[in-house]
Structure formats: C-alpha cells, structure tokens
Amino acid sequence: MNKKLIVSCFSVLSVSCAWAQVDTSVVADSVFVERTDDMPEGLFVSEEELMKDYTNLNNLSEGTGVSRTLSYDDSVLINRLSRIPTTIEMPLNDVTKKYIDTYSARMKGSVAVMLASSNFYNPIFEEALERYDLPLELKYLPVIESGLRPSATSRVGAAGLWQFMLTTGKRYGLEVNTLVDERRDPVKSSDAAAHYLRDLYDMFGDWGLAIAAYNCGEGNVQKAILRSGSQESADFWSVYNRLPRETRGYVPAFIAATYIMNYYCEHGIVPRETTLPLESDTIIVQREVTFAQIAACCNVTIDELRAINPQYRRDIVPADYVLRLPASAVEDFILKEDSIYAPNAAAGSLAAGVRRAVVDNVEDAQVEVQSSNRATSRNSRRARNTRSQASKNVSVRRGETLSSIAKKNGTTVDKLRKMNNIHGDMIREGQKLRVK
C-alpha cells in the first residue's frame, strides 16, 4: 500500500500597529467609491461575506485596537510605494490612488479579515513564487482575485484563490472533473499560478503587462500592444486604453492591494486576531472514500475536512488522491483504515449521518492473539507495519531529475509522481521526495 505522509504546519504571523507613528488626519468613515465595470470583482467582497468562509469563521476574532480611517497627501503615498522592495513598478496616479482610497476606507473591514487569513496562505504563495524565482509581492494577487477564499467563484466561472478559468487551469496541470476541482487546492493552484506568471513575464518582459495578461489572457494583451503601436517599448500604461475595461483596473488594484497589505497600520486598519492554524498532514487514500466515512472514524468533522480539502466537490475523495487531515486524525485513519473503507462505513455515509459507522476497537486489534480466526487481522497489521518501516524519503540534489532519482532508487517516474502528488517534471533542489 502506497502512502504519502507530509507534515505541513503554517506559521502565524503576528501583526501589531504602532499608533504613535500614525498621522492624525482623519476623514469620514462613510467614504464610498461607486462600483464601475473597470473594478475587479475582488474589490466588492464584503467583510460579512469573507467571514462566511469556514477557516475565517473558526480562526478569526475581532482585533484589539481602535479602527480609524486616515488619509494622506500624494507625496506620502508616493514615498511609501517607493519603499516597497520589489522589481514591479508601483506608480501613484489618479487610477491607483482611487483603489488605495477604496481599500483604506470602504473596504477596511474586508482588509482586516484578509490580513488575518493571509497567515494561512502567504507561506504557500511565497514557496510557489520562490520556486519560479518570481517577485514575492505577487502573493497579493489573490487579494484582488478571490479575497483569499478557496471557495470563490467569479461570474464567468473562474475558481479558487487564484481564480483559474477551466481551460487555463487544465493547461497548467490542474485537474477538474465531477469529483475534483484542483483550482481550489491552495498548494496546487499556487504552483500553477506561479508557473503561469513566469510564462507571462517571459512572454512580455514587463510585470504590468504580465499581470494584465493574467487577468484577461495573453491574446488580449498582445492585441492591445499591436493596436497601440508601441511593440518595442510597451508597458501597461502605454496600452492602458486598449485593454478590456476590467483589466484597466486590475493592475492599479494590485498596486493598491500591495500598498494596503504593507501600510494598513498607517491607515488605522486593525487586523482580525488569528488562532494557530490547524496542523495538518496528507495521506494518499487507497480506495474511494467519503468525508462522512472519515468523520465517523477519525474524530474530525465534515466541515473541517471541507475547509482543508476545498478541491473535493462532492465530499468524496477518489482512490489514489491526496487527503489532508488534522495531524491528530492521521493515526486514527491509519489504524482504522479497513473500517473506514468497509462497505458498512460506506452505507453509513450514504445515510447522510443518520447513524455513525461502527468503529473497530483499535486497542483490541493490537492485542496478540493465537486463535486462527484472528490470524488474518494480525497478519494484515504486521504487513502494514512492514510497509511503513520500508518507506524511504530522499532530498533532491542539484541537477537531479525525476528520471535519475527513479533509476537510482529502483522505481519509475510514474510511481514517483503518484507517491509525491507531482504533476509534470518540476522538482527543486532540497525538495523531499518519497521513493518507497
């Protein structure tokens, strides 16, 4: 039986505001910017809507401090933007200032939630961006794309934190079928987004254009460049009026999101308080299993399973797919695996929780017995322990490929991909791979 067990614990970033350094020019809390067609959808996700997300609802509480709405002269904003350490151009003009005003006034409640929930997702985003050698400020794209919600779906069908359309997601290795939508998987979608952004920058050589293309597609940006007649020196602002309306607001919104996620304190925004994110492990299931079957045996709720496995559309995990579990539930799953997969457990799950499946007594299963009617159970346990002890992990060395690692360890590339949940051939130096 192949199993993959990876420990993954997201660290919580502490956030605090140094009020002594905040300017005191206060404006009315009722500042409102009317919605227009050139504003990305992510700018209209309310604080109430964000708090419906299970992770936010169960891990965030009101922040401590006094929320105020503060505004500044353009010279102050220009200076702050220039101090953000990035290779992406961050200009202040009438368009970008409009979005900074939107985030710092009307959307300050939403920003407070996103600042807290970013503790769950920023480590994932940063790891993916580092893998493709991209500016880390691109981690703020999901702020305007989805409000940092894996459950987000746009009016045109884009899904997940990074809002992949179906065709683009599949082009970058994200599986979408009746049971699974990997566009909602935070880890896989972040890797796909970083890969796509790397390709877009290689195509256009300008981050403004690459970010615009992420929103409207590379074809629309190429058309805008041709129509502008500035092929040799094109950047986002030179083709601005040739782009689709929403895309004209997309790059300015990204600049504003980057600004507000760095300077929220100076605008009197108090982040929500976060509790420690749930420590979780992953395991590859051997047979199709439902969330109800798992919940009945592993001291975990269906809502918790949905929150950390947003890619499963019907609460069903197909065979050979990765399941993420709270760390405390992994041992239960391994010890009770036969019961979880058993037909009576499946029948119980289909009853929609009318009754819980009967759980085998693990302690009794571990008792050494001599009778022949217990021999099968004992041998099965020994075989499982032997397989667990035979597992082996290796670290990727410089210059190694999946092919060379497979050959060195007596396995195949397909098996390595399956055991490590890898799509394609991308591995990196220092990465841990399971080879047995």
Side-chain angles (χ1 to χ4, degrees):
M1 182 189 307
N2 293 324
K3 279 196 181 78
K4 176 185 176 188
L5 188 62
I6 302 176
V7 177
S8 174
C9 181
F10 305 140
S11 62
V12 174
L13 307 177
S14 62
V15 287
S16 62
C17 295
W19 291 110
Q21 300 176 5
V22 177
D23 289 356
T24 57
S25 51
V26 179
V27 298
D29 284 352
S30 60
V31 173
F32 179 78
V33 177
E34 184 179 358
R35 181 170 186 170
T36 60
D37 289 341
D38 64 344
M39 287 187 169
E41 289 184 50
L43 265 77
F44 296 90
V45 183
S46 67
E47 181 180 8
E48 180 182 11
E49 186 67 24
L50 290 175
M51 287 303 296
K52 290 178 182 178
D53 178 86
Y54 180 87
T55 301
N56 291 341
L57 182 63
N58 287 274
N59 292 281
L60 306 187
S61 59
E62 290 291 341
T64 56
V66 179
S67 176
R68 296 183 288 173
T69 301
L70 309 172
S71 65
Y72 298 91
D73 293 337
D74 288 0
S75 61
V76 175
L77 301 180
I78 291 170
N79 179 262
R80 289 175 181 168
L81 284 167
S82 70
R83 283 160 38 202
I84 297 174
T86 182
T87 56
I88 302 174
E89 185 183 8
M90 298 277 175
L92 182 76
N93 52 40
D94 289 344
V95 185
T96 54
K97 190 173 187 300
K98 175 180 71 173
Y99 290 104
I100 290 174
D101 291 342
T102 299
Y103 275 127
S104 62
R106 184 180 59 80
M107 288 197 66
K108 63 181 181 179
S110 297
V111 171
V113 175
M114 290 188 287
L115 282 164
S117 58
S118 67
N119 290 310
F120 299 106
Y121 299 115
N122 276 356
I124 301 173
F125 300 160
E126 290 172 355
E127 183 178 354
L129 294 168
E130 285 277 15
R131 195 176 304 136
Y132 290 89
D133 193 26
L134 301 179
L136 294 186
E137 288 67 40
L138 292 169
K139 67 187 176 186
Y140 300 124
L141 276 178
V143 169
I144 61 173
E145 286 284 358
S146 63
L148 298 180
R149 294 172 302 148
S151 61
T153 302
S154 77
R155 64 179 182 271
V156 295
L161 288 161
W162 294 88
Q163 290 290 281
F164 271 102
M165 294 295 290
L166 186 64
T167 53
T168 309
K170 288 190 172 183
R171 193 200 322 168
Y172 283 87
L174 298 178
E175 185 173 358
V176 181
N177 56 44
T178 302
L179 300 181
V180 180
D181 188 347
E182 291 183 341
R183 295 177 299 171
R184 302 189 189 280
D185 183 315
V187 176
K188 290 186 177 179
S189 67
S190 296
D191 185 85
H195 191 172
Y196 186 28
L197 286 163
R198 175 82 266 171
D199 288 348
L200 291 172
Y201 183 75
D202 290 344
M203 181 181 300
F204 295 108
D206 175 81
W207 275 118
L209 293 175
I211 293 169
Y214 188 89
N215 176 253
C216 68
E218 50 267 44
N220 282 321
V221 172
Q222 289 169 335
K223 291 175 186 175
I225 293 172
L226 287 173
R227 289 168 181 163
S228 70
S230 58
Q231 290 92 322
E232 298 301 322
S233 59
D235 62 15
F236 173 79
W237 300 105
S238 69
V239 302
Y240 177 85
N241 290 318
R242 308 286 183 176
L243 291 166
R245 283 181 61 87
E246 184 176 325
T247 305
R248 295 177 205 170
Y250 189 77
V251 172
F254 165 74
I255 294 170
T258 302
Y259 171 87
I260 204 65
M261 297 298 275
N262 282 276
Y263 293 106
Y264 58 90
C265 273
E266 285 78 358
H267 286 271
I269 297 174
V270 181
R272 291 258 183 166
E273 299 286 346
T274 64
T275 56
L276 187 67
L278 195 66
E279 184 179 348
S280 60
D281 301 335
T282 59
I283 192 167
I284 294 180
V285 304
Q286 303 307 304
R287 294 179 238 166
E288 183 176 288
V289 65
T290 68
F291 285 178
Q293 288 172 265
I294 299 164
C297 297
C298 295
N299 193 31
V300 61
T301 69
I302 292 176
D303 281 341
E304 286 174 331
L305 291 170
R306 287 171 178 159
I308 58 179
N309 295 276
Q311 66 270 35
Y312 296 118
R313 308 172 77 172
R314 304 285 189 272
D315 292 353
I316 298 172
V317 186
D320 300 322
Y321 277 71
V322 173
L323 169 71
R324 185 172 291 279
L325 290 169
S328 59
V330 172
E331 183 177 359
D332 275 346
F333 188 96
I334 294 174
L335 292 175
K336 302 174 184 178
E337 192 163 8
D338 291 340
S339 297
I340 293 169
Y341 292 139
N344 65 324
S349 68
L350 292 174
V354 173
R355 69 176 186 216
R356 289 174 64 88
V358 177
V359 180
D360 289 346
N361 189 307
V362 177
E363 184 176 348
D364 290 342
Q366 294 175 331
V367 175
E368 192 69 35
V369 292
Q370 303 299 324
S371 58
S372 58
N373 64 333
R374 301 293 296 277
T376 300
S377 176
R378 185 174 67 253
N379 292 338
S380 174
R381 187 174 64 255
R382 285 176 177 171
R384 184 160 59 242
N385 290 340
T386 299
R387 284 192 294 270
S388 178
Q389 293 169 0
S391 65
K392 179 182 177 183
N393 296 314
V394 300
S395 293
V396 177
R397 297 180 179 178
R398 184 182 296 248
E400 284 189 317
T401 64
L402 285 178
S403 179
S404 66
I405 293 172
K407 184 176 181 181
K408 184 185 300 183
N409 291 279
T411 184
T412 67
V413 171
D414 285 342
K415 286 182 179 179
L416 286 179
R417 289 191 182 116
K418 187 174 181 181
M419 284 189 290
N420 295 281
N421 197 27
I422 294 174
H423 294 281
D425 298 311
M426 176 63 69
I427 57 176
R428 65 187 185 282
E429 183 181 355
Q431 182 178 352
K432 297 288 187 183
L433 293 182
R434 180 160 183 183
V435 296
K436 286 186 180 180

